[in-house]
Amino acid sequence: MESCPLCLAGHPKTLADVKGGTLVSYEGRVQVFGTVKVTRPAVNEFKSIEKFKIFNTNYLQVSLETIKRLIQESALKMEIMPNPKEVDGVKVLQLETAAGAAIRFFDRVLIGNNVPRSRFLPAKATSDLLHVQSDDSYVVRNVARKNPTNPAIELVGKFLSRFKSIPSIVELDSLKVSAHVWFGSGITLKVIQTNYLSPSYSVSEALWMYRSLKICL
């Protein structure tokens, strides 16, 4: 840590990481560039996994002596980023600081670009929680899963009340649920993409043959 006071872990960006920050070179330093800094017209371009291939995991190893020195010198001035959100129908402004953004204050930074996915286990939303609780949990990768990347999961609305049990998703590539959908017990989600236009739908079959499942209004 003496020769490199800060190490930051990156990971190849997947569809599950499109809302996260990436690493850029700006003013001669490596910096973290997050979604909250992107103007609305450029959001889709920023989410591209082809143009921005590195995902910042915010997994850091930092020299405490260096942190202490920067604080004593009043040099560690973290940027506060406003992030508009809606909570229970109320619009709020969440003020954030990104831990990884501190790299711009360090003269020497080591970045690992291919950290195993098992080292990065976020559970920021119910979509992440569904994955963590499933049989494809990325804490210990299920050997039956052939796709090396995690499924892209997007849930809108309540979580616990919609699942009698967590479905099997070992063969699932992506899942988007934005309608009023209830999942029964013993569900297996696997292959293709489909849309359900019904405002209310109950999934009770024992097996669904859809790898890329999209249920929306």
Side-chain angles (χ1 to χ4, degrees), residues 144-161:
R145 182 169 179 80
K146 297 180 181 179
N147 189 335
T149 63
N150 293 326
I153 300 176
E154 183 177 348
L155 303 178
V156 177
K158 296 181 179 180
F159 171 58
L160 294 177
S161 62

Side-chain angles (χ1 to χ4, degrees), residues 135-202:
D135 55 353
D136 184 47
S137 172
Y138 45 50
V139 176
V140 178
R141 171 68 64 169
N142 192 323
V143 294
R145 182 169 179 80
K146 297 180 181 179
N147 189 335
T149 63
N150 293 326
I153 300 176
E154 183 177 348
L155 303 178
V156 177
K158 296 181 179 180
F159 171 58
L160 294 177
S161 62
R162 299 202 177 197
F163 291 88
K164 285 189 176 180
S165 68
I166 302 300
S168 171
I169 62 172
V170 172
E171 298 181 57
L172 185 73
D173 289 340
S174 66
L175 171 67
K176 180 176 181 179
V177 179
S178 57
H180 298 293
V181 182
W182 289 265
F183 293 81
S185 300
I187 300 296
T188 298
L189 303 178
K190 333 174 161 183
V191 202
I192 290 182
Q193 176 168 306
T194 186
N195 296 320
Y196 283 89
L197 301 179
S198 170
S200 181
Y201 201 88
S202 177

Side-chain angles (χ1 to χ4, degrees), residues 56-131:
N56 168 40
T57 66
N58 270 333
Y59 180 85
L60 308 172
Q61 292 182 349
V62 187
S63 165
L64 295 181
E65 291 183 358
T66 304
I67 289 288
K68 180 180 179 181
R69 175 178 59 79
L70 290 172
I71 292 176
Q72 290 175 339
E73 296 174 355
S74 298
L76 194 63
K77 298 179 180 179
M78 299 293 289
E79 180 182 2
I80 298 177
M81 300 172 291
N83 187 6
K85 292 188 175 184
E86 187 170 315
V87 180
D88 296 331
V90 178
K91 293 183 178 180
V92 300
L93 191 63
Q94 179 172 299
L95 302 180
E96 304 177 352
T97 56
I103 64 176
R104 71 179 186 272
F105 300 109
F106 291 76
D107 295 326
R108 298 182 304 279
V109 177
L110 176 64
I111 300 174
N113 291 335
N114 199 17
V115 176
R117 189 76 193 194
S118 59
R119 298 289 296 274
F120 176 58
L121 312 174
K124 298 181 178 180
T126 54
S127 303
D128 302 320
L129 187 58
L130 173 62
H131 192 191

Side-chain angles (χ1 to χ4, degrees), residues 13-14 18-19 35 42-50 52:
K13 193 173 184 178
T14 70
V18 294
K19 293 184 179 180
T35 311
V43 168
N44 289 334
E45 181 182 6
F46 179 75
K47 290 182 177 181
S48 169
I49 62 175
E50 298 297 328
F52 298 96

